[in-house]
Amino acid sequence: MELRPAFRMNGFLMLLVLFATMVAATLVVIAAIGSASDGGGVGPVVVAIVAGIIGLAALLGLSGLVVVNPNEARVIQFFGRYIGSVSEPGFFWTVPITDRRRISLRVRNFETQKLKVNDADGNPVEIAAVVVYKAVDSFKAAFAVDDYEQYVETQSEAAVRHLATIHPYDAHDDSRTSLRDGTEIAEELTSELRERTLMAGIEVLEARITHLAYAPEIAQAMLVRQQANQVVAARTRIVEGAVGMVGLALERLAAEGMVELDEERKAAMVSNLLVVLCGDRPTQPVVNAGTLYN
């Protein structure tokens, strides 16, 4: 089965018709009873019975009135059989004596609990996400799963756990996506959740990581490791810049013919410049009054 619109009519019009029918049936019953009491025979009694049945049917018809609020759907069941859904807001009359289950079509969001998971490198991390979703198929939301809200929450936690196990907390090369790459991870999590919740009539609008941290037992060690990586990266950048500056200085000196440097003097100059440029402390100048050949 699939989602289909239920039979419905204007509720205000049907309310007026049913009310008028009950009033008319009541007046007919009163008149028939009066006629029967005056010796009118069997005819008035039959009329009273028929009018009473019509009045009771009209009273029973009032149970078909239903109010549908904006961003809400009503799933209509007649003795267990699905006969359609009403998702248009308003006041309607539908099949009487039916069960009308309310399904919210509003946008909802919730945040998963902080989950402790081992990432792709085996490091324990704490991770949580916020999921924004809404029901788009009232039939599937009502009958495909027991409780679609609980279903979304369970599948969201499962998707977050799976995402954490296939990506590292930190990527040490550009070929891997880490959990800290917010845009890529959000897109992947949203796509996976859409596939998981499609059968429940749910559309996941957005899913993003809201909490990401190393587990407390390794947090300090990972902090030291991150600091070491940053120091190495910074020193590498400094060395690369220093080598470029030294090469530029030698090229300029040779091009302008300011001094003639043999290989030994070039080596000494390169050594001094690298010490000055790569050192992490201020250098102290030393005046050399002699010569390299003395």
Side-chain angles (χ1 to χ4, degrees), residues 17-34 42-60:
V17 170
L18 293 173
F19 181 75
T21 301
M22 287 188 294
V23 171
T26 302
L27 294 177
V28 171
V29 169
I30 294 173
I33 293 175
V42 181
V45 176
V46 174
V47 172
I49 293 174
V50 173
I53 293 174
I54 294 175
L56 291 176
L59 181 62
L60 189 63

Side-chain angles (χ1 to χ4, degrees), residues 137-199:
D137 190 320
S138 58
F139 172 76
K140 291 182 179 180
F143 302 113
V145 293
D146 287 335
D147 185 337
Y148 73 91
E149 295 180 13
Q150 184 63 37
Y151 179 82
V152 172
E153 294 180 8
T154 303
Q155 292 300 322
S156 298
E157 291 188 0
V160 171
R161 287 182 181 275
H162 176 255
L163 187 73
T165 59
I166 62 176
H167 293 291
Y169 182 94
D170 270 319
H172 304 294
D173 55 76
D174 296 335
S175 62
R176 304 177 69 187
T177 301
S178 73
L179 295 174
R180 301 176 67 182
D181 296 328
T183 303
E184 293 82 356
I185 294 298
E187 292 177 354
E188 186 174 343
L189 180 59
T190 302
S191 177
E192 181 174 351
L193 274 175
R194 283 174 179 168
E195 295 178 0
R196 289 173 176 263
T197 58
L198 182 63
M199 63 174 296

